[in-house]
Amino acid sequence: ADTTACVGDDTAPVRLSLVVVLFDFPPTIRDYTHCIGRTQRPGQRPGRVVAFLPELRFWLAREVAELLERCGQHVPEELSTLVREDRAFVDEARQAMLQLSQGEAPCANGAESAPPADRWAPALCGGDFDADRHVWRLPAHLPSYRRRLLHGLANEVGLAHVSHGAGPGERRLHVALHREALPDKFFLEGEEVLVAPWAKSKGAGGRGKHAGYRGPGASTHVGAERRAVVVDPKVRPHERTIGVRFDDPNSLLPPVYVPVDAVRLAGAAGA
């Protein structure tokens, strides 16, 4: 059911017992409550909800469980288990990030194992740690919703973080004490940056109006750089773009999406 279908019909002349089936779980708990509200309206018999919670919505599991508890409903054991496991994972990840933010290795008890030949040592949450660069790398099999949770946690702790890898099965979350150690560019919302002119071309992700950028990874650019403010710092993996505003950062107009390789911090050397 979509939002429109969930509005329902409150004018039915007979007492109904309604069932709401959610094949596509809503993106927010508020939308979910609006959908399930159709199951019991004035004059109707109590109804039921059958909801399919896909992995991409697992980050809502705790809120769903809390909602069921407040309503006096049974919380399925699978949902309770998921919430417990996620809570334990986030607690361990928070410990790792706090240790990293203090210059310590994100390993058990803060102790770093002897680094293997490839310099990555085992670390918390099934990840590994590069002590030379102070980079904590999470496993590639980490579910996408947990990666999303950790991106938010890294922002909260104040650590630089990017997901990096050639394909969906190879992308790994990297968290670092300093952004320069990350394998890809990292920006924060509100940061002032310099954007080199770029050329609109297929696959370049350029949706702006400027021309001259010579492609991903280019070290020199044609034309003068322009100052901008980052409004959408998430790097889109296929287009490799971030959202900026060149004029008023508080404008209600949509951001301009520019190639991330054409962007650098305004305070960086040479700016």
Side-chain angles (χ1 to χ4, degrees):
D2 60 22
T3 304
T4 303
C6 288
V7 171
D9 181 7
D10 293 336
T11 63
V14 296
R15 285 170 56 83
L16 302 174
S17 181
L18 300 179
V19 177
V20 173
V21 181
L22 296 174
F23 291 102
D24 296 318
F25 201 91
T28 69
I29 201 69
R30 181 176 180 178
D31 290 338
Y32 175 71
T33 57
H34 283 309
C35 290
I36 66 175
R38 297 294 108 191
T39 60
Q40 188 168 9
R41 308 296 284 179
Q44 295 177 357
R45 297 189 180 94
R48 298 186 62 192
V49 175
V50 178
F52 297 88
L53 185 66
E55 183 178 285
L56 69 98
R57 296 279 191 260
F58 276 6
W59 60 278
L60 287 170
R62 178 180 58 81
E63 294 180 82
V64 174
E66 291 174 350
L67 178 64
L68 290 173
E69 290 173 349
R70 286 199 303 271
C71 295
Q73 300 295 313
H74 170 68
V75 179
E77 181 58 34
E78 294 85 352
L79 184 59
S80 296
T81 299
L82 177 61
V83 171
R84 286 196 302 271
E85 291 176 348
D86 282 349
R87 182 179 294 118
F89 176 81
V90 170
D91 288 345
E92 186 174 335
R94 185 184 301 274
Q95 175 190 342
M97 290 190 189
L98 289 174
Q99 290 175 195
L100 182 59
S101 68
Q102 296 166 5
E104 301 174 6
C107 306
N109 302 319
E112 180 189 344
S113 305
D118 64 356
R119 87 171 182 268
W120 292 98
L124 292 172
C125 296
D128 40 32
F129 177 62
D130 180 350
D132 292 336
R133 296 162 57 231
H134 278 83
V135 177
W136 177 40
R137 184 176 65 178
L138 280 298
H141 59 74
L142 190 70
S144 59
Y145 81 97
R146 283 191 171 177
R147 189 181 294 126
R148 175 175 178 168
L149 288 172
L150 294 191
H151 278 297
L153 184 57
N155 281 336
E156 179 184 324
V157 175
L159 293 169
H161 53 95
V162 296
S163 288
H164 181 73
E170 300 176 14
R171 290 183 66 78
R172 304 182 67 170
L173 173 60
H174 294 69
V175 183
L177 188 58
H178 305 291
R179 72 174 77 197
E180 295 81 9
L182 291 171
D184 204 350
K185 290 193 174 185
F186 168 78
F187 297 100
L188 291 170
E189 184 176 353
E191 285 187 318
E192 188 173 334
V193 294
L194 294 174
V195 183
W198 73 96
K200 287 196 284 186
S201 61
K202 274 191 175 181
R207 283 184 262 174
K209 299 172 289 184
H210 314 287
Y213 177 65
R214 298 196 289 187
S219 57
T220 59
H221 309 286
V222 176
E225 293 176 312
R226 293 184 62 189
R227 287 187 178 269
V229 172
V230 177
V231 294
D232 183 1
K234 181 180 178 181
V235 179
R236 286 154 174 75
H238 300 297
E239 298 179 340
R240 286 193 54 75
T241 57
I242 62 171
V244 303
R245 286 203 175 97
F246 287 101
D247 301 312
D248 180 6
N250 299 315
S251 169
L252 297 179
L253 294 175
V256 177
Y257 282 86
V258 301
V260 68
D261 296 296
V263 182
R264 65 189 179 97
L265 283 176

